[in-house]
Amino acid sequence: MFTIKGNICSERVRLGRALQKPPITQEDLAKKLQFMGMEDMTPLIISRIEKNQRHVCDAELRMIAKALEVTMEWLVGDSDEIKLR
């Protein structure tokens, strides 16, 4: 049986923020996502995602990957090759 508790992207979201030049805060990421059209995204939601307290839908996953300038494959742990743009 295959089960996943929480998000498979939570640690990578945190790492993706830290790898930015310069690193960005949860607030910075939330603002970037809001600018990209995700008006409901807040720093609290980013925090809850990173703590596995909130699930991420596929559309949100795609936007987070774009905001962090990484591939979705890296964000979900399917690849160790990170591609920062």
Side-chain angles (χ1 to χ4, degrees):
M1 182 173 169
F2 182 71
T3 60
I4 296 174
K5 293 184 179 182
N7 295 314
I8 57 176
C9 69
S10 60
E11 297 227 0
R12 293 283 175 111
V13 171
R14 187 178 316 113
L15 181 57
R17 287 190 307 100
L19 291 172
Q20 299 297 304
K21 304 279 190 228
I24 63 173
T25 65
Q26 291 172 341
E27 184 174 342
D28 294 334
L29 179 55
K31 285 180 182 178
K32 193 170 188 178
L33 289 165
Q34 290 168 357
F35 182 75
M36 294 170 70
M38 297 179 69
E39 291 96 15
D40 294 339
M41 192 59 65
T42 66
L44 177 60
I45 292 174
I46 300 295
S47 175
R48 292 186 69 216
I49 289 169
E50 292 181 358
K51 292 177 183 176
N52 273 326
Q53 296 173 342
R54 182 188 180 276
H55 288 280
V56 179
C57 73
D58 54 357
E60 291 173 329
L61 189 66
R62 176 175 284 168
M63 295 297 283
I64 292 169
K66 285 183 180 183
L68 292 174
E69 300 179 359
V70 298
T71 63
M72 284 183 59
E73 291 80 12
W74 181 84
L75 196 58
V76 298
D78 286 344
S79 171
D80 287 332
E81 182 180 344
I82 185 168
K83 295 180 181 177
L84 292 173
R85 296 175 208 171

